[in-house]
Amino acid sequence: MTFKSSAPRRAVVFDWAGTVFDFGSLAPMGAFVKLFGRYHVEISIAEARVPMGLPKWEHIQALGNQPRIAASWLAAHGVPFSDADVDDLYAVFTPMNAESVKHHAALIPGVTNVVAALRERGYAIGSTTGYTRAIMDVVVPLAREQGFEPDNLVCAGDLVASRPSPLMMYRTFADLGVWPPASVIKVDDTAPGILEGIAAGTWTVGVVVSGNGVGLSLDEWNALDAATQQTHRQRAGEHLLAAGAHTLIDTVADLLPVVNRIERLIADGSAPKPLE
């Protein structure tokens, strides 16, 4: 099926952590480890990363139901991990994460230049996130001070369902006045965020190096040799491609050539499809 886009506006919709700020998506990781440790259950950073991209309540639920962690919880508490426990942990986690993001709020290099170039070309700039509104109330002013302020923001908890459902994207379409979905590009570093874009019918661009899949700070990444970088890049990229990403970039700084390719495909009447 092919069609011509007739949307009055085009949009690029960005995820936040690991995509436009917090290189390596570091802020939540220590908070998750500390959270479960407070309840006498040890988890690793690697385990904490697995559900990344989900809303944080669902992220805690997924962690607690992971077999090894569930067994540790049962041993520590004498009863299985439950949704009531998720509620308790979530109430503790939110202020912990809100404090943590203050220390990991730097924009990823290139973001402001790319966004400025997109705006010059007539794109609206949307955003969705797995963070709650309370956490984003901390993040947004810090991002604004550095020059990043999207045209909308939809947070986990704003709607009845979040990622990987398309509802946050649908809200973004309405906020920005964009249609059809194939005139929109979703940029995200997590599988749930890519699935969100796929479910909504948009083009999807997976962010590999600055994201959760690699999980390293910029300094840590730059300290690696090229072969080790490529190993990390390939592993993280495969995960995003498996989720349905149409193409991959290292960071948002590499986005504009991809936008050019997608624009040509849209002009030819193409629906979203893999670029490689």
Side-chain angles (χ1 to χ4, degrees):
M1 184 178 98
T2 61
F3 53 85
K4 297 290 185 180
S5 172
S6 59
R9 300 180 77 193
R10 301 171 295 179
V12 176
V13 181
F14 293 98
D15 173 55
W16 282 76
T19 299
V20 297
F21 88 110
D22 187 7
F23 198 108
S25 197
L26 302 177
M29 295 306 109
F32 281 125
V33 171
K34 183 177 178 181
L35 174 70
F36 275 85
R38 185 174 293 188
Y39 288 80
H40 312 293
V41 174
E42 293 186 6
I43 69 171
S44 68
I45 292 289
E47 287 173 322
R49 284 195 180 279
V50 172
M52 193 64 182
L54 291 175
K56 295 302 176 273
W57 191 96
E58 287 84 350
H59 191 134
I60 294 168
Q61 182 189 48
L63 287 175
N65 288 324
Q66 193 274 340
R68 190 206 65 78
I69 297 173
S72 295
W73 184 277
L74 179 61
H77 296 274
V79 293
F81 188 76
S82 69
D83 284 356
D85 296 315
V86 179
D87 290 338
D88 290 342
L89 269 67
Y90 181 72
V92 174
F93 174 81
T94 298
M96 290 172 60
N97 198 182
E99 180 61 30
S100 180
V101 294
K102 296 177 184 177
H103 307 290
H104 298 279
L107 291 185
I108 290 166
V111 166
T112 55
N113 289 339
V114 167
V115 169
L118 290 170
R119 290 195 187 281
E120 287 179 4
R121 291 160 66 166
Y123 282 88
I125 305 300
S127 69
T128 71
T129 179
Y131 279 147
T132 62
R133 185 69 56 173
I135 294 172
M136 292 306 296
D137 284 344
V138 176
V139 172
V140 167
L142 298 174
R144 184 186 302 119
E145 290 172 2
Q146 299 172 74
F148 178 71
E149 186 171 14
D151 298 317
N152 89 314
L153 168 63
V154 187
C155 301
D158 286 355
L159 302 169
V160 68
S162 299
R163 299 168 176 172
S165 87
L167 295 188
M168 291 201 294
M169 291 296 290
Y170 291 165
R171 171 64 63 82
T172 299
F173 297 163
D175 287 347
L176 303 181
V178 293
W179 186 262
S183 66
V184 177
I185 303 169
K186 179 71 195 319
V187 185
D188 206 295
D189 69 293
T190 68
I194 294 297
L195 290 167
E196 172 187 46
I198 294 294
T202 72
W203 299 85
T204 57
V205 179
V207 178
V208 179
V209 170
S210 67
N212 176 71
V214 172
L216 299 175
S217 70
L218 180 57
D219 287 343
E220 289 170 335
W221 172 257
N222 287 335
L224 300 177
D225 61 73
T228 304
Q229 285 183 342
Q230 183 56 25
T231 298
H232 282 291
R233 182 184 287 113
Q234 182 172 345
R235 175 178 50 80
E238 288 173 352
H239 185 60
L240 295 173
L241 290 173
H246 295 125
T247 194
L248 303 175
I249 56 176
D250 279 359
T251 75
V252 167
D254 307 309
L255 181 62
L256 291 179
V258 171
V259 172
N260 293 339
R261 294 175 65 190
I262 291 174
E263 285 180 351
R264 290 193 292 270
L265 289 167
I266 291 174
D268 290 338
S270 177
K273 64 180 183 179
L275 272 62
E276 282 85 23

